[in-house]
Amino acid sequence: MSEVTYKEAIRRAMEDALAEDDRVFMIGEDIAAAGGAFKATEGLWERFGGERVLDTPISEQAIVGASIGAALKGRRPVAELMFADFAGVCFDQIANQLAKYRYMTGGQVTLPVTIRLANGAGAGFASQHSQTVENWFLNCPGLKIVVPGSVADAYALFRAAVRDEDPVLFFEHKGMYNAKGSLTDDAPPVEIGRAAVIRSGEHVTVVATQLMRQRAERAAQALAAEGVEVELVDPRTVLPIDFETIGASVDRTAHLVVVQESPLAGSWGATVAARVVADRFESLDAPPLLISAPDTPVPYAGGLEEAWLPSEQRIADEIRGLLAG
Amino acid sequence: MSEVTYKEAIRRAMEDALAEDDRVFMIGEDIAAAGGAFKATEGLWERFGGERVLDTPISEQAIVGASIGAALKGRRPVAELMFADFAGVCFDQIANQLAKYRYMTGGQVTLPVTIRLANGAGAGFASQHSQTVENWFLNCPGLKIVVPGSVADAYALFRAAVRDEDPVLFFEHKGMYNAKGSLTDDAPPVEIGRAAVIRSGEHVTVVATQLMRQRAERAAQALAAEGVEVELVDPRTVLPIDFETIGASVDRTAHLVVVQESPLAGSWGATVAARVVADRFESLDAPPLLISAPDTPVPYAGGLEEAWLPSEQRIADEIRGLLAG
Amino acid sequence: MRLDTTSSSAVVEGDPTDDELLGMLRRMIEIRGFEDEIQRAFTKNLVRGSTHLCNGQEACAVGACSALRPGDSMVCTYRGHGAVLAMGASLERTFAEILGRETGLCRGKGGSMHLTDVEVGAYGSFAIVGAHLPIATGLALAARLDRTEAVSLCFFGDGSTNIGAVHEALNLAGIWRLPVVFFCENNLYGEYSPLPSTTPVEQLADRAAGYGMPGVRVDGNDVVAVRRVVAEAVARARAGEGPTFVEGLTYRHRGHSRTDPAKYRPAGELERWLEHDPIPRLEALLAERGVAAAAIAQARADAESAVAEGYAAALAASAPAVELIHEDVYA
Amino acid sequence: MRLDTTSSSAVVEGDPTDDELLGMLRRMIEIRGFEDEIQRAFTKNLVRGSTHLCNGQEACAVGACSALRPGDSMVCTYRGHGAVLAMGASLERTFAEILGRETGLCRGKGGSMHLTDVEVGAYGSFAIVGAHLPIATGLALAARLDRTEAVSLCFFGDGSTNIGAVHEALNLAGIWRLPVVFFCENNLYGEYSPLPSTTPVEQLADRAAGYGMPGVRVDGNDVVAVRRVVAEAVARARAGEGPTFVEGLTYRHRGHSRTDPAKYRPAGELERWLEHDPIPRLEALLAERGVAAAAIAQARADAESAVAEGYAAALAASAPAVELIHEDVYA
Ligand SMILES: Cc1ncc(C[n+]2csc(CCOP(=O)(O)OP(=O)(O)O)c2C)c(N)n1
Ligand SMILES: Cc1ncc(C[n+]2csc(CCOP(=O)(O)OP(=O)(O)O)c2C)c(N)n1
Ligand SMILES: [Mg+2]
Ligand SMILES: [Mg+2]
C-alpha cells in the first residue's frame, strides 16, 4: 500500500495496463516525450516507446477516429483529449460513431476504446476549460462514462475501463490531480457501472462525484459532529447509473441529496433524482434536494468561480435545511 | 386563418422573418435553389436572392462559426444544420463558442443566432439521423432551446427565435413536417421560455414535446372517454424550462407524467421530473411517471423503430397504471 | 497531382486477366441491378428513410476493391451499396438489411446507410459526411502497429472534402505515412451543389500535396484504370510508403437520394455521361480483347439471376424480433 | 506561395512614417513589458489557470494590426495579449482582466485566454484551438453583406492548422472570396511539438493553394515586413479580391504556458532567435533611418511607465461582485 496522488494513480494504472496487454496503446497530443499537458503520462513513452505512446497533431477528430479504427482490428486504444471541453470538437466521433457503431452493425464490432478527459472547475481556467463534460454524453447509450472520485477509484476504474469491451469515457477531475490517497497493491478490481457507498449513515443519502464527493465527505464529517449521519454514495459510473445501490440507500435513509458541480438541466444528478423518486417515491420522507451550480458558464475570477462551485458549507447548510424542513 | 403543414408554417415564418428585417439571412447546405434537404426553404432564394439565402460547402463548423461572426456585427443569421444529428460535427461551435461567448466577454456581445435542426425518429433514417438532439445541449447555459410541437408553435416560436437577442436552437421534428394544423394571421406572439397548456384536465399532468406531444394528445383523448382528464403541458422551450407552469399544473392534478422519445439519462424529461418533484413534493399523490425510449440508439427496421418509440397505446396504458396504482 | 492516362486497351503488368475482368463485369452488373431493385423497392415503400444509389459509379467500387486482398479493410459512405457488394457481401443479406430483415447484414438495425460486413472486410458505411476518414486512418494504424501489411481503403465523395474530419484524417495519415488509400469518388455534386460552387480548387487531387501524399486523378468510369491506380497505391501502402489520394472522376446516374429528380443538372450532362457508362465500356473492352460474346452474355445473365434470387430470398425473410432492440448496445 | 523578401531598410510606399514606427515600437515594448509583468504575477499566484505569453512575437501582432482601420475586426488565440493590446485595448483593463478584477475588459469573467474588447475591434481571444477561424469568416461575411469594406484579421498558430475548423473556415473564405486576412504565427511549435512532427508540409503558406487563395510567407520578427504584407492583403480584401493566408515566421521566447521550461527546444535555438528579437531590430531600423536615439529612448520609457501604471491601477481594482456570476448569460 502506498500514499499517492490521484494523478500518480492514473499514471500507474496506465503503466500497468500497457505492461499487461500488448494491444493497449496511448494516443494524444504531447503525451509522449512531453508527458502530457497535465504530466499524467510521464515516463510511459520512455518505457514503452513510440509505438505504444503516440503523439498526434492537434486533431481530436482524428485521435478518436483513429482509436475507433484501431479498436476494430483488436487494439485497445487509450486516447487522451486533454481538457474535457475539447470533446466538443470531436463530439460526432464520440456520440455518433463510437457510441453507435456496435448497434448499427448489429453487433459485428466491439470497441474497447478508453478516452481520458480532464474535467471540472476550480482552477481558474475559465469557461472553455472547466466544464463537467460528462453531462454532454449522458443521452448516448453505447458509451460508458466513469468519473473517479478518489485515488483508489482512479486506479481501479482505469484498469477496468481498458479491460472493458465497450467504449469508456474516463473523466479525471483536474482539481483532484494533486489530491492524495492510498493505493493498495491487491485492491479488488472495480466493476464499471457500480456505485460505492463511501460512508454509511442512516439519516440522508448524499450522491456526489469527484470534487463534489470530496466536499460532500467533508460536509458529512461536519454534520456527524452534530449527530447527522450521512450515507455518501459515489455512483462512479454515470452512464449507465447504478440506481439500485442509490435506491437501496434511500430506502434506508428516506432522504436523497444530489451534489454536482454543473447546472441542473440535463445533468446526471437530475437523472438520479428523477429515477430514484420514480422508483422509490414511498421511501422518501422529504423532497429530493438538488445541489447544483448556477445556470451559467464557469467564470474566471477566483471569487466568482469559488462562489459558483457548491461549497462544503453550502452542502452542509442545505442538508441541515432538508432535515430540519 | 389557414390550414397548413408544420413545414409550411416554418417556411412561412422564415419568409416573414426575412421580409421583416433586412439583418436576417439564412445559411446552410443546399437551402437556396434546391430549397433544402427537407424542402423547407423552398422559394426563399427566389424571393430574397443569394445575399439573404446562402448555400455553403459541407462545413457545419464554418456554418455556425460564420453565423456567430456575422451576429457579432449585428446580423441575425438563421443557420440550417439539416439533420439535427449533424450538430455533432459542430458541437464545439455551439456549446463552447455560441453558448459562452456573451458570458466570457462580460456581456460585450449579443448573439441573435437561430439554428434550425431536424430532429427525431420514426421515419427509418437509422441511428445517425434520428436522434432528439436537444438533450446534448441542455447543460449549456447561454443557449435557448425550443422544440415546437404544433403548426402554430412552429410559426410563432420561429418568429420569436429570430427576434430573440440570444442564440436559439430551433428543433423541427421531421416526423411532423407533413402534420397539419391551423395558422392564424393575428396569433399573439409566443414567448421563448414559456410552456403551454394544450389541454386542461384535473387528474394528471402530462408533459410532452413534438411527436410525443401529438401521441400524448391522442392518448389523452382515449383516456377522456374513460373519464380520465389529462392536463397536457408542452414546455415548448427545454432550456430554460418553465418549471412554474408545469409545477402549477401538478399542484392541481397531483400527478406528473413525462413522455419523451429519447432515453432517460441526461434528458429534459429527467430534468423536469427532478425539479418539479424537488419543488412540489407535497403536491404529488404518486411517483412521477417517466415514459422514455429504451436505452439504445435508434434502430432502422420498421418494426423495431416503432417499438422503440413510446406509442399512444403505451402512454395511455402507463397513465392508467399510474392512476390505478 | 498526376493524371493517369494509360489506356485500358493495352494490357499492363498486374492487370486483371480476362477471367477476372469477366468477374468484375458480373459484379458491376450485380451492383447496377441491386440499385435498380432498391429503387423499385423504395417506391413501393419497402425501404425506409432514404437511400443513395451508386448507379454509374460501379467501376470505382469494383475497380478499387479488386486491388485488395483478404485482411485489408474498406469503409465507405451511405452511397456504399456498391462498395460493400464489391468486397463480396452477399446480395441476399445486403438486400435483407435494406429491407429491414433479421437476416440482414446488420440484423436490420443499420439499413441502407450503414451496411457493414466485417467478414468480407467491409467495416462500415457512414452517414455523417467525412466521419469515416479518421476511422479508415485507425484501421491503417492498427495494420502498422501489428505489422500485418494490411491496407485500408476509404471511399468518400467530392463534397465531403470540405469537412473538418477529412482534413484531420488526411493530415494524420500523411504525417504518419499510414497504409491508407483515400478514394474520392468525384461525381461532380455534393447533394444538389456542383463542386465549383463549394470548392475553390479544380482538381481535388491537388489538395493531396498539402498532406504530403501523392494525388492521382483517374477516369472513374474505366474499371481497369481504377484498378491500376489503386493497385499501385495499395502497393505503396503495403511497402510502408504511405497514403495516396486517388480522385476518380465519375457520375451518378440518379439523383442524390430517394426521389431527387436532379433538376439541377445542366441539360445533356446525364446523356453525355451515359455514353461513358462503365458497364458497356467494360463489355466493349472485353470484346476488344477477344472475349467471346457468349461469355459476356453469361456474366450478365449470372448477375441478373443472382440479383433476382437475392432479392426474392431477402423479401421472404422475416422482420427482426422486437427483443433485438435491446441487444448490441454493449458487448 | 510567395516569400516576401523586400528589405525593411528601403522605404516602400505605404510604409509607416518614422513617427508611426516609434508608436509601433512603443506598443511592442508595452506588450513585452505586459507579458513580463503577467509572468511575475503568475508566479505570485495572482493569475489563475494558465497563461500563454507572446514574448518574441510582438512584431506579428503590432505589424499586422497596424494595417487595420477603425471598423475592421480582429480575433486571436489564448496567446493573444499582444494582439488585443496592439488593437488598442487599455493596458490597465487588460491587466485587470487577467488579474480577475471587475474593471477588466470582460469584468473578470474571461481571464487570460478570453480577452475581448469590442470597442477597439478585438472581438475575442479563443481557447479552443482553431475555433475562431470560422468566426473570423463570419465577421468578414457581415462586412461583405453590409458592404462596409471592413476587413477581418485572424491570428492563429502553426499547430492549429491541422484541426478541422481551420480547414472549413479557409475553404469557406476561399470559395466566397471573403475579406479576411488569415495570419498564421508560425512559432515552430504547437505546445511541445515541433511543426515537422505534426505537419507534412514544410511551408504552411503552401496550403493556401488548396483553398484558392494566395499564401505569403514573411519574416514575422520584422515589423515593417509584416505590416507591408498584411497591408497588401488588407487592400486585396477591401477591394473584394478575397482572403490571403499569411505565414509569419516567428518564435516564442518563453515556454508554451505557465511554467513550461521548454526543454524540448534544441540547444542554441532560443539564443539564435533572440538575435532576431523584433524589438532591438526595430530600434536598429529606426536608428538606421536616422531617428534620434532620444526619441527611441523616450518611446521605451513611455512604454515602461504605461505598463507600470496600468499594472498598479489594475492591482488596486476590486474583485467582481459575486452577483456578477448570474449576469451576461442571456441578453
Ligand atoms: C456532417 C454532414 N453534413 C451533411 C450531411 C447531409 N449530406 C448527406 S450526403 C451529402 C452530400 C455529400 O456529397 P459527396 O461527398 O460528394 O458524396 P456523394 O453523395 O456525391 O456520393 C450531404 C450534404 C451529412 N450526412 N453529414
Ligand atoms: C481543440 C483543442 N485541442 C487542444 C488544445 C490544447 N492546446 C492549447 S494551445 C495548443 C498548441 C497550439 O499550437 P499553435 O497553434 O502553434 O499556437 P501557439 O500556442 O504556438 O501560439 C494546444 C494543443 C486546445 N486548446 N484546443
Ligand atoms: Mg459527390
Ligand atoms: Mg505554434
Side-chain angles (χ1 to χ4, degrees):
Chain A
M1 187 177 118
S2 52
E3 184 85 355
V4 300
T5 63
Y6 182 83
K7 189 195 293 185
E8 168 60 13
I10 294 165
R11 204 202 58 72
R12 207 176 283 182
M14 291 191 275
E15 184 162 3
D16 292 350
L18 283 161
E20 176 181 83
D21 186 341
D22 281 347
R23 297 171 302 172
V24 177
F25 71 93
M26 324 242 341
I27 180 170
E29 292 160 20
D30 290 313
I31 61 168
F38 297 101
K39 304 288 169 231
T41 56
E42 263 182 350
L44 301 181
W45 175 76
E46 286 78 357
R47 175 166 172 198
F48 297 99
E51 292 216 334
R52 305 290 302 284
V53 184
L54 285 80
D55 267 351
T56 69
I58 308 176
S59 306
E60 282 81 4
Q61 297 190 70
I63 292 171
V64 178
S67 300
I68 295 174
L72 291 171
K73 290 285 190 181
R75 286 269 164 179
R76 307 185 84 84
V78 177
E80 169 170 321
L81 290 184
M82 209 183 298
F83 286 83
D85 316 63
F86 306 163
V89 299
C90 52
F91 191 91
D92 173 72
Q93 288 290 326
I94 300 174
N96 284 331
Q97 316 304 330
L98 183 59
K100 304 186 172 69
Y101 208 149
R102 182 175 173 80
Y103 196 78
M104 297 189 304
T105 63
Q108 291 181 67
V109 301
T110 42
L111 292 158
V113 175
T114 301
I115 300 185
R116 295 178 47 231
L117 308 101
N119 215 18
F125 285 105
S127 301
Q128 294 185 334
H129 281 62
S130 300
Q131 294 157 89
T132 40
V133 171
E134 67 271 26
N135 292 317
W136 292 350
F137 293 102
L138 295 175
N139 209 240
C140 300
L143 298 177
K144 295 178 178 174
I145 302 181
V146 302
V147 288
S150 73
V151 165
D153 282 353
Y155 181 88
L157 284 169
F158 184 84
R159 298 300 305 277
V162 174
R163 288 190 191 128
D164 202 283
E165 294 302 329
D166 294 312
V168 178
L169 306 188
F170 186 85
F171 285 94
E172 304 164 14
H173 199 294
K174 59 182 167 297
M176 292 175 62
Y177 273 139
N178 296 321
K180 292 223 164 129
S182 56
L183 199 58
T184 49
D185 287 335
D186 54 355
V190 166
E191 214 180 306
I192 287 181
R194 296 293 291 273
V197 178
I198 305 308
R199 175 192 177 104
S200 300
E202 55 185 324
H203 299 123
V204 54
T205 299
V206 175
V207 184
T209 64
Q210 301 205 312
L211 189 66
M212 293 300 114
R213 161 176 160 184
Q214 302 295 323
R215 295 192 176 178
E217 204 161 355
R218 287 195 301 273
Q221 281 153 15
L223 291 167
E226 302 162 22
V228 173
E229 289 302 336
V230 167
E231 180 139 307
L232 179 59
V233 181
D234 181 348
R236 302 194 293 192
T237 303
V238 293
L239 189 73
I241 303 184
D242 179 357
F243 296 113
E244 273 321 299
T245 301
I246 300 168
S249 172
V250 169
D251 286 345
R252 286 190 298 274
T253 65
H255 292 86
L256 171 66
V257 179
V258 166
V259 191
Q260 55 188 356
E261 70 164 86
S262 72
L264 179 72
S267 63
W268 65 262
T271 309
V272 165
R275 220 355 239 287
V276 169
V277 173
D279 292 352
R280 322 260 173 168
F281 192 68
E282 300 304 333
S283 298
L284 285 166
D285 280 353
L289 172 61
L290 311 167
I291 304 181
S292 307
D295 291 330
T296 81
V298 182
Y300 165 73
L304 299 186
E305 192 179 27
E306 209 178 290
W308 188 89
L309 282 168
S311 64
E312 179 188 327
Q313 183 68 44
R314 176 178 162 204
I315 298 167
D317 283 349
E318 293 207 25
I319 294 173
R320 282 187 196 102
L322 175 76
L323 296 178
Chain B
M1 188 176 118
S2 52
E3 184 83 357
V4 301
T5 62
Y6 183 83
K7 190 196 292 186
E8 169 60 12
I10 293 166
R11 203 202 59 72
R12 206 175 283 183
M14 291 191 275
E15 185 162 5
D16 292 349
L18 283 162
E20 176 181 84
D21 186 341
D22 281 347
R23 297 170 302 172
V24 176
F25 71 93
M26 324 241 344
I27 181 169
E29 292 160 20
D30 290 313
I31 60 168
F38 297 101
K39 302 290 169 232
T41 56
E42 261 181 351
L44 302 181
W45 174 76
E46 287 78 358
R47 175 166 173 198
F48 297 100
E51 292 216 333
R52 306 289 303 284
V53 184
L54 285 80
D55 267 351
T56 70
I58 309 176
S59 306
E60 282 81 3
Q61 298 191 69
I63 292 172
V64 178
S67 300
I68 294 174
L72 292 171
K73 290 284 191 181
R75 287 269 166 178
R76 306 183 85 83
V78 177
E80 169 171 322
L81 289 184
M82 209 184 297
F83 287 84
D85 317 64
F86 306 163
V89 299
C90 51
F91 190 92
D92 174 73
Q93 288 291 326
I94 300 174
N96 284 331
Q97 315 305 330
L98 184 59
K100 304 187 171 68
Y101 209 149
R102 182 176 173 78
Y103 196 77
M104 298 189 304
T105 62
Q108 291 181 66
V109 302
T110 41
L111 292 157
V113 175
T114 301
I115 300 185
R116 296 179 47 232
L117 308 102
N119 216 20
F125 285 105
S127 301
Q128 294 186 334
H129 282 60
S130 301
Q131 295 157 86
T132 40
V133 171
E134 66 271 26
N135 292 317
W136 292 351
F137 293 102
L138 295 175
N139 208 239
C140 299
L143 299 177
K144 295 178 178 174
I145 303 181
V146 302
V147 288
S150 75
V151 165
D153 283 352
Y155 181 88
L157 284 168
F158 184 84
R159 297 301 303 277
V162 174
R163 289 190 190 128
D164 202 283
E165 294 302 330
D166 293 312
V168 178
L169 306 188
F170 185 85
F171 286 94
E172 304 164 13
H173 200 294
K174 58 182 170 295
M176 293 175 62
Y177 273 138
N178 297 322
K180 291 224 165 126
S182 56
L183 198 57
T184 49
D185 287 334
D186 54 354
V190 166
E191 213 181 306
I192 287 182
R194 295 292 292 272
V197 178
I198 305 308
R199 176 192 176 102
S200 301
E202 55 184 323
H203 298 124
V204 53
T205 300
V206 175
V207 184
T209 64
Q210 301 206 312
L211 189 66
M212 292 301 112
R213 162 178 159 182
Q214 303 294 322
R215 294 192 177 178
E217 205 162 354
R218 288 195 301 274
Q221 281 153 15
L223 290 167
E226 301 162 24
V228 173
E229 289 302 337
V230 166
E231 180 140 306
L232 179 58
V233 181
D234 181 348
R236 301 195 292 191
T237 302
V238 292
L239 188 72
I241 304 184
D242 179 358
F243 296 113
E244 274 321 300
T245 300
I246 300 168
S249 172
V250 169
D251 286 344
R252 287 190 297 274
T253 66
H255 291 87
L256 172 66
V257 178
V258 166
V259 190
Q260 55 187 356
E261 70 164 85
S262 72
L264 179 71
S267 62
W268 64 262
T271 309
V272 165
R275 221 354 240 288
V276 170
V277 174
D279 292 352
R280 322 260 173 169
F281 191 67
E282 300 304 334
S283 298
L284 284 168
D285 279 353
L289 172 62
L290 311 167
I291 304 182
S292 307
D295 292 329
T296 80
V298 182
Y300 166 72
L304 298 186
E305 192 179 27
E306 211 178 288
W308 188 88
L309 282 167
S311 64
E312 179 188 326
Q313 183 68 46
R314 177 179 160 202
I315 297 166
D317 283 348
E318 294 207 25
I319 294 173
R320 282 186 197 101
L322 175 75
L323 297 177
Chain C
M1 215 260 333
R2 181 165 70 74
L3 184 65
D4 179 85
T5 48
T6 55
S7 153
S8 344
S9 319
V11 179
V12 168
E13 205 204 303
D15 268 3
T17 63
D18 288 352
D19 269 0
E20 282 173 302
L21 274 184
L22 275 170
M24 287 161 76
L25 175 67
R26 174 177 164 167
R27 193 52 58 89
M28 285 164 65
I29 298 171
E30 282 174 1
I31 293 171
R32 178 73 54 92
F34 185 92
E35 297 293 61
D36 288 340
E37 207 64 81
I38 291 294
Q39 177 68 22
R40 279 188 291 272
F42 190 86
T43 55
K44 284 188 248 167
N45 278 323
L46 293 170
V47 177
R48 309 188 72 232
S50 188
T51 191
H52 309 76
L53 307 178
C54 72
N55 305 50
Q57 305 183 200
E58 297 88 347
C60 290
V62 171
C65 294
S66 78
L68 299 182
R69 69 184 187 200
D72 292 340
S73 54
M74 188 283 298
V75 291
C76 58
T77 74
Y78 50 86
R79 197 181 304 290
H81 307 170
V84 172
L85 292 171
M87 290 297 289
S90 125
L91 284 160
E92 175 186 337
R93 295 192 58 214
T94 310
F95 271 129
E97 184 59 32
I98 301 177
L99 295 169
R101 308 294 151 133
E102 189 159 342
T103 53
L105 293 175
C106 309
R107 311 171 92 194
K109 289 175 161 181
S112 170
M113 296 203 282
H114 300 296
L115 301 176
T116 301
D117 187 355
V118 167
E119 268 185 31
V120 301
Y123 276 87
S125 312
F126 294 80
I128 305 282
V129 161
H132 57 304
L133 276 84
I135 297 172
T137 303
L139 287 159
L141 172 62
R144 151 80 52 81
L145 297 177
D146 295 338
R147 295 185 168 54
T148 60
E149 289 188 7
V151 168
S152 163
L153 170 65
C154 177
F155 291 101
F156 56 110
D158 48 291
S160 73
T161 57
N162 295 321
I163 201 162
V166 169
H167 176 69
E168 296 190 10
L170 291 171
N171 185 68
L172 191 70
I175 190 75
W176 284 355
R177 300 179 71 75
L178 292 174
V180 200
V181 179
F182 293 103
F183 194 107
C184 179
E185 292 183 81
N186 181 352
N187 61 10
L188 315 192
Y189 296 89
E191 270 190 6
Y192 319 118
S193 295
L195 187 63
S197 72
T198 60
T199 311
V201 288
E202 273 179 36
Q203 321 233 34
L204 291 169
D206 281 339
R207 282 186 165 166
Y211 305 110
M213 66 178 84
V216 194
R217 201 177 215 217
V218 65
D219 178 345
N221 281 12
D222 178 340
V223 73
V224 176
V226 168
R227 153 70 170 254
R228 274 180 201 155
V229 163
V230 174
E232 193 186 320
V234 166
R236 288 190 68 241
R238 280 205 219 293
E241 290 162 27
T244 304
F245 185 112
V246 179
E247 175 182 3
L249 259 182
T250 185
Y251 197 76
R252 57 167 155 76
H253 293 169
R254 298 189 184 268
H256 166 67
S257 67
R258 294 187 272 184
T259 47
D260 167 27
K263 292 217 180 108
Y264 42 84
R265 294 169 169 180
E269 187 180 79
L270 172 63
E271 291 68 23
R272 273 198 311 283
W273 278 93
L274 284 174
E275 288 168 21
H276 299 284
D277 186 326
I279 294 177
R281 273 177 75 178
L282 178 53
E283 289 174 330
L285 177 72
L286 283 164
E288 202 184 310
R289 288 202 186 177
V291 174
I296 298 174
Q298 187 63 46
R300 174 169 293 275
D302 288 349
E304 286 169 357
S305 63
V307 168
E309 279 164 29
Y311 185 61
L315 260 187
S318 52
V322 163
E323 300 69 52
L324 279 194
I325 287 176
H326 304 281
E327 294 180 17
D328 306 322
V329 182
Y330 296 108
Chain D
M1 216 259 336
R2 182 165 70 74
L3 184 64
D4 179 84
T5 48
T6 54
S7 154
S8 346
S9 319
V11 179
V12 168
E13 205 203 304
D15 268 2
T17 62
D18 289 350
D19 269 1
E20 283 173 302
L21 274 184
L22 274 171
M24 287 161 76
L25 175 67
R26 175 179 163 166
R27 193 53 57 89
M28 285 165 66
I29 297 172
E30 282 174 1
I31 294 171
R32 177 72 54 92
F34 184 93
E35 297 292 61
D36 287 340
E37 206 64 80
I38 292 294
Q39 176 69 22
R40 278 188 291 272
F42 190 86
T43 55
K44 284 188 249 167
N45 277 322
L46 294 170
V47 177
R48 309 187 71 231
S50 188
T51 191
H52 309 75
L53 307 178
C54 73
N55 304 51
Q57 304 184 201
E58 296 88 349
C60 291
V62 171
C65 293
S66 78
L68 299 182
R69 70 184 187 199
D72 292 339
S73 53
M74 188 283 299
V75 291
C76 58
T77 74
Y78 50 87
R79 197 182 304 289
H81 307 171
V84 172
L85 292 171
M87 290 297 288
S90 124
L91 284 160
E92 175 187 337
R93 295 192 59 214
T94 311
F95 271 130
E97 185 57 35
I98 301 178
L99 294 170
R101 309 295 151 131
E102 191 159 341
T103 53
L105 293 175
C106 310
R107 310 171 92 193
K109 288 174 161 182
S112 170
M113 297 202 282
H114 300 297
L115 300 177
T116 301
D117 187 355
V118 167
E119 270 187 30
V120 301
Y123 276 87
S125 312
F126 294 80
I128 305 282
V129 162
H132 58 305
L133 276 84
I135 297 172
T137 303
L139 286 160
L141 173 61
R144 152 81 51 82
L145 297 176
D146 295 338
R147 296 183 168 56
T148 60
E149 291 189 5
V151 167
S152 162
L153 169 66
C154 177
F155 291 101
F156 56 110
D158 48 289
S160 73
T161 57
N162 295 321
I163 201 163
V166 169
H167 176 69
E168 296 190 11
L170 290 172
N171 185 69
L172 191 70
I175 190 75
W176 284 356
R177 300 179 71 74
L178 292 174
V180 201
V181 179
F182 293 103
F183 193 108
C184 179
E185 292 184 80
N186 181 352
N187 60 10
L188 315 192
Y189 294 90
E191 269 189 4
Y192 320 119
S193 294
L195 187 63
S197 72
T198 59
T199 311
V201 287
E202 272 179 37
Q203 321 234 33
L204 291 169
D206 281 339
R207 282 185 166 167
Y211 305 109
M213 66 178 83
V216 194
R217 201 177 215 219
V218 64
D219 178 345
N221 282 11
D222 178 340
V223 73
V224 176
V226 169
R227 153 70 169 252
R228 274 180 202 155
V229 163
V230 174
E232 193 186 321
V234 165
R236 287 190 68 241
R238 281 206 219 292
E241 290 162 27
T244 304
F245 185 112
V246 180
E247 176 182 2
L249 259 183
T250 185
Y251 197 76
R252 57 167 155 76
H253 293 169
R254 298 190 184 267
H256 167 66
S257 67
R258 294 188 271 184
T259 48
D260 167 27
K263 293 220 180 105
Y264 42 84
R265 294 171 168 179
E269 187 179 79
L270 172 62
E271 291 67 23
R272 272 198 311 284
W273 278 93
L274 283 174
E275 288 167 22
H276 300 283
D277 186 327
I279 294 177
R281 273 176 75 178
L282 177 53
E283 288 174 329
L285 177 73
L286 283 164
E288 201 184 311
R289 288 202 185 178
V291 174
I296 298 174
Q298 187 63 46
R300 173 169 293 276
D302 289 348
E304 285 169 358
S305 62
V307 168
E309 278 162 31
Y311 185 61
L315 260 187
S318 51
V322 164
E323 300 71 50
L324 280 194
I325 288 177
H326 303 281
E327 294 180 16
D328 307 322
V329 181
Y330 297 108

